[in-house]
Amino acid sequence: MSAPTDHDTRISRRLLTTGVAGGVLFSGLVARLAQLQLLEGQKYQKIADENGVKLELAPPLRGNILDRFGLPLASHRQAGRVSIIREQTPDLEASLREVARHVDLSPQSQARIIQQARQQASFQSTIIKSELSYEDFARMSLLAAEIPGVQVDMASTRSYPRGRDLAHVLGYVAKASGDDLSRLTEDASPEETNLLRKLFRHPDMRTGRSGVERYAEEWLRGEPGFRRLETNAAGRVIRELDSDDLAPTPGKDIGLTIDAELQRAAIDRFGEESGAAVVLDIETGAILAFVSTPAFDPNDFVNGISYEDYNALRENDRSPLYHKAYDGTYPPGSTYKMVVATAALEAGIDPNMRVHCNRYYRFGNRTWHCWKRGGHGSVNMHWAIKGSCDVYFYEIARRVGVEKIAEVSRKFGFGQTWDLGMTGGRSGTVPDDAWKRRTLGEPWYEGETLNYGIGQGYLSTSPLQLALMSARIAARGKLIEPYIIGEGPRPDKPIKGAEPLDPEMMDRMKAGMYGVTSEAGGTAWRAGDLGLGGPRLAGKTGTAQVRRISEEERRTGVLKGDQLDRRLRDHALFVCYAPADDPKYAAAVVVEHGEGGSSAAAPVARDIMATAIRRDSRRAARWQTASVPSIITTKGAP
């Protein structure tokens, strides 16, 4: 055997070195694998799962709003929508132009969609149009496959099945703005703020903007959940996994005191006129109808209203965006004479005292006129209310004085805002010397008290306050707190300002209101018959001037309504209760620029009250308004 050469020795050393190095490397790999799988396996398994499964925030279904009989006023429905995924189309603008050929999509909307799509991940969906009509949904369902990147599906959307009927009461929902987010997170912790901001950026999430929708936002909203989505390494969704254990919690329902059918009947009765009506349950204070007409359709706001449509609403001279029954304030005119008469009784004036009305009243160097051209002759308090004699009320207002009238006005609840569980509400103005000095920097003049005596001048009231006045007269002075949320987060605030009124004094006011509708000489004697074969209506007419009639016009002849622009015509008012012998409902009606309370407002109020009584005899509410607690913590429909 030959001896190993140097070459062989070098090869053996290399093999040994390589073998040792390989062995060390292999041992290291084994050790590392053991560490990863045995010691840190759970850690990396969790990381791997998180890479493969994405939790996406899922918005909750908003609670329903129901009327007193359980009819839906705000609910949900499935609506078609079309969307686009940017990475699936080679030309985003071209795809949008093609969609616009088949559905209404303005160039401004297309520009907004393009901007939004480019601001988010290319594989995320961007909504092009929601609330597709049946025809548009069917058409786009057929065409979507031919337009790159376009998808058509169904989504749950907030729905107002009664449309305009309760727009001002319910309000509406819309996508959260920056101001909304600031308001919604004002008292939230940093973690809650982060969650809410993510939630309200979701394309299917909406927040209440006005009315009950905004007031009861937290009650209606519910709690968000999550969807488990399987994704690839790029973050693209592959499929949705079971996530029932993470499902969102729906919002809680709210039951209103509103009778949706009575509300609709009242709106129909107004016809083309604009105005407001309020119907109250005298026993409980529940609001059964809260009408402001014309109105807007809250469905138009859910997915964003166009600038053109919103501007048309804003510029409409009949103010459809304005809640006339709650936010509107009007001079009450002669409907206020029961308040002035009550102040006179409290001041000790004999109700049998007579004042002679010969058509006008002189005070200082001015003349105040009565509405009746020939005058009323000699009248006492009952006849003055029944015939609405202005001269009588000029005289007793002067005797009683501004401070006493203001004091009694506040006892009735005027000058107060009632928190009903919805946005809005105005207190109106109950003027006195202090108010005028504070507001106008002038003292009160005695001549201004005469205007106060017939419900004119600086005085302003809301239809809700006038309905409440009627209810309190009918209830013989009992304190009544109006409310509109029967089941849900009702405000728990005590009555302020209003005080009990003397029952015997209220009996005199009731007698006067009955005389208006049912006795000879009453200003609305034809309105007393409700056409129900028994129950009668008691009420009071009012006509509120919106312009000053000059002496020259009185000499030449006061212009009639058809000779004036609509905006210069008087408002027509009527307040009432029924049945007259056993009061259950009270109401106030304002017909804007309707001219005469007896001719325009009284017939509307009579028909609304007749409907309320007919409905009362046919069915009862699903829950008793008198016994509903302030806060109901159970979830679900009433």
Side-chain angles (χ1 to χ4, degrees):
M1 179 180 294
S2 60
T5 64
D6 291 341
H7 176 71
D8 292 336
T9 301
R10 286 195 298 273
I11 292 175
S12 298
R13 288 174 180 171
R14 290 173 182 171
L15 289 173
L16 178 62
T17 302
T18 302
V20 171
V24 171
L25 180 61
F26 180 75
S27 298
L29 289 172
V30 171
R32 180 58 176 160
L33 287 172
Q35 179 190 18
L36 292 174
Q37 292 186 21
L38 301 178
L39 300 180
E40 300 182 15
Q42 288 185 331
K43 170 186 173 182
Y44 287 103
Q45 181 64 44
K46 182 179 178 182
I47 293 173
D49 289 343
E50 289 176 350
N51 283 335
V53 178
K54 172 185 176 183
L55 290 179
E56 182 181 271
L57 201 63
L61 199 65
R62 199 170 179 86
N64 298 312
I65 304 177
L66 312 168
D67 89 335
R68 66 191 293 106
F69 301 115
L71 295 176
L73 307 176
S75 55
H76 296 88
R77 62 183 176 83
Q78 292 295 107
R81 67 181 179 186
V82 57
S83 55
I84 193 165
I85 298 176
R86 180 159 56 94
E87 74 166 8
Q88 295 181 5
T89 175
D91 190 334
L92 181 63
E93 291 87 345
S95 292
L96 283 175
R97 286 196 299 271
E98 184 61 25
V99 172
R101 291 182 58 230
H102 306 288
V103 299
D104 183 22
L105 197 63
S106 68
Q108 294 82 359
S109 297
Q110 294 179 52
R112 176 183 54 78
I113 294 165
I114 291 170
Q115 180 182 13
Q116 182 181 347
R118 287 173 175 167
Q119 289 174 345
Q120 60 190 31
S122 62
F123 55 83
Q124 289 184 327
S125 176
T126 303
I127 296 174
I128 296 176
K129 191 175 182 65
S130 302
E131 297 287 328
L132 294 176
S133 66
Y134 177 81
E135 293 78 9
D136 286 346
F137 180 76
R139 186 185 307 111
M140 290 308 304
S141 295
L142 292 173
L143 297 172
E146 301 175 7
I147 307 174
V150 170
Q151 297 179 337
V152 178
D153 64 353
M154 300 292 290
S156 180
T157 187
R158 193 62 161 171
S159 173
Y160 300 96
R162 296 273 166 170
R164 292 175 169 80
D165 285 7
L166 286 144
H168 301 98
V169 173
L170 302 176
Y172 62 92
V173 298
K175 292 181 180 179
S177 65
D179 289 341
D180 289 328
L181 287 173
S182 297
R183 171 175 54 84
L184 292 165
T185 59
E186 185 176 4
D187 299 320
S189 66
E191 294 79 10
E192 291 172 332
T193 297
N194 185 51
L195 177 63
L196 285 171
R197 288 187 176 276
K198 288 182 179 178
L199 176 64
F200 282 105
R201 280 198 294 266
H202 194 284
D204 291 335
M205 191 64 187
R206 301 290 184 272
T207 185
R209 283 286 183 84
S210 65
V212 175
E213 289 277 28
R214 175 163 172 171
Y215 176 87
E217 170 64 31
E218 293 186 13
W219 182 276
L220 290 165
R221 184 193 306 154
E223 296 294 332
F226 294 91
R227 298 166 60 210
R228 283 194 185 94
L229 303 175
E230 185 178 350
T231 61
N232 60 18
R236 188 172 296 110
V237 175
I238 298 172
R239 63 190 176 99
E240 183 173 352
L241 305 176
D242 177 58
S243 53
D244 289 345
D245 57 324
L246 298 175
T249 303
K252 291 175 281 190
D253 293 348
I254 286 178
L256 300 186
T257 62
I258 293 289
D259 179 347
E261 297 300 330
L262 177 62
Q263 180 89 358
R264 169 39 45 192
I267 293 170
D268 286 343
R269 187 58 184 81
F270 269 88
E272 297 299 316
E273 299 287 354
S274 63
V278 183
V279 180
L280 285 171
D281 184 313
I282 292 172
E283 180 183 354
T284 66
I287 298 175
L288 308 183
F290 212 14
V291 173
S292 179
T293 184
F296 61 93
D297 189 343
N299 290 297
D300 294 340
F301 287 79
V302 175
N303 293 299
I305 188 170
S306 70
Y307 172 81
E308 293 78 13
D309 289 345
Y310 184 70
N311 208 37
L313 289 171
R314 288 185 60 187
E315 293 178 355
N316 188 318
D317 62 358
R318 302 203 177 201
S319 305
L321 294 173
Y322 191 49
H323 191 182
K324 301 176 179 69
Y326 195 35
D327 298 329
T329 57
Y330 305 85
S334 293
T335 63
Y336 212 68
K337 287 175 178 174
M338 284 83 71
V339 177
V340 181
T342 302
L345 293 175
E346 286 198 5
I349 291 179
D350 184 351
N352 294 313
M353 179 195 78
R354 289 187 169 269
V355 173
H356 185 75
C357 170
N358 62 352
R359 189 172 61 85
Y360 63 86
Y361 184 88
R362 292 286 298 177
F363 181 77
N365 60 357
R366 282 195 59 190
T367 301
W368 277 260
H369 294 266
C370 186
W371 70 269
K372 191 172 183 180
R373 285 176 177 263
H376 288 87
S378 179
V379 295
N380 60 14
M381 183 175 288
H382 178 80
W383 276 87
I385 294 174
K386 180 173 72 172
S388 200
C389 177
D390 293 333
V391 168
Y392 177 90
F393 283 96
Y394 293 143
E395 175 62 18
I396 66 167
R398 187 188 63 79
R399 293 192 184 197
V400 170
V402 60
E403 301 302 329
K404 186 62 181 178
I405 296 174
E407 175 193 331
V408 172
S409 297
R410 296 186 185 101
K411 285 184 180 181
F412 271 97
F414 292 101
Q416 176 177 344
T417 300
W418 299 93
D419 189 353
L420 300 179
M422 53 188 287
T423 56
R426 291 182 64 188
S427 62
T429 301
V430 175
D432 55 18
D433 182 70
W435 171 87
K436 191 180 178 192
R437 289 179 186 275
R438 184 175 62 251
T439 306
L440 302 176
E442 298 177 357
W444 187 272
Y445 300 112
E446 192 172 10
E448 294 171 324
T449 307
L450 275 61
N451 271 340
Y452 207 162
I454 61 167
Q456 294 281 169
Y458 299 115
L459 177 67
S460 67
T461 63
S462 73
L464 174 62
Q465 292 170 340
L466 292 172
L468 184 61
M469 175 195 72
S470 302
R472 296 198 61 199
I473 290 172
R476 304 185 71 228
K478 183 182 78 171
L479 279 173
I480 297 173
E481 182 174 9
Y483 67 98
I484 202 166
I485 294 182
E487 186 166 337
R490 281 179 57 189
D492 187 15
K493 296 183 179 180
I495 298 174
K496 295 180 181 179
E499 298 178 19
L501 297 159
D502 184 273
E504 292 185 3
M505 292 182 185
M506 294 303 98
D507 285 342
R508 287 192 176 275
M509 301 306 109
K510 290 176 68 176
M513 292 176 71
Y514 183 80
V516 168
T517 60
S518 301
E519 295 177 3
T523 55
W525 62 273
R526 292 182 179 178
D529 185 2
L530 291 169
L532 302 176
R536 293 190 66 81
L537 182 77
K540 181 71 187 77
T541 55
T543 302
Q545 287 183 206
V546 297
R547 69 185 185 98
R548 186 176 180 277
I549 301 174
S550 67
E551 289 295 330
E552 165 117 20
E553 184 178 340
R554 290 190 184 278
R555 283 194 300 270
T556 58
V558 177
L559 296 175
K560 297 184 181 300
D562 58 6
Q563 297 174 293
L564 297 167
D565 289 338
R566 177 183 175 274
R567 61 186 178 82
L568 297 177
R569 299 172 191 170
D570 297 340
H571 296 313
L573 299 93
F574 191 75
V575 297
C576 57
Y577 63 86
D581 59 347
D582 183 20
K584 183 161 188 180
Y585 302 117
V589 169
V590 177
V591 179
E592 291 186 328
H593 309 293
E595 299 186 69
S598 60
S599 60
V604 173
R606 178 196 61 210
D607 292 347
I608 291 173
M609 292 293 269
T611 301
I613 292 173
R614 279 197 299 268
R615 287 185 59 72
D616 176 74
S617 65
R618 292 179 182 175
R619 60 197 297 195
R622 294 176 61 185
W623 39 266
Q624 296 299 315
T625 57
S627 61
V628 174
S630 292
I631 298 292
I632 304 296
T633 55
T634 55
K635 189 182 76 174

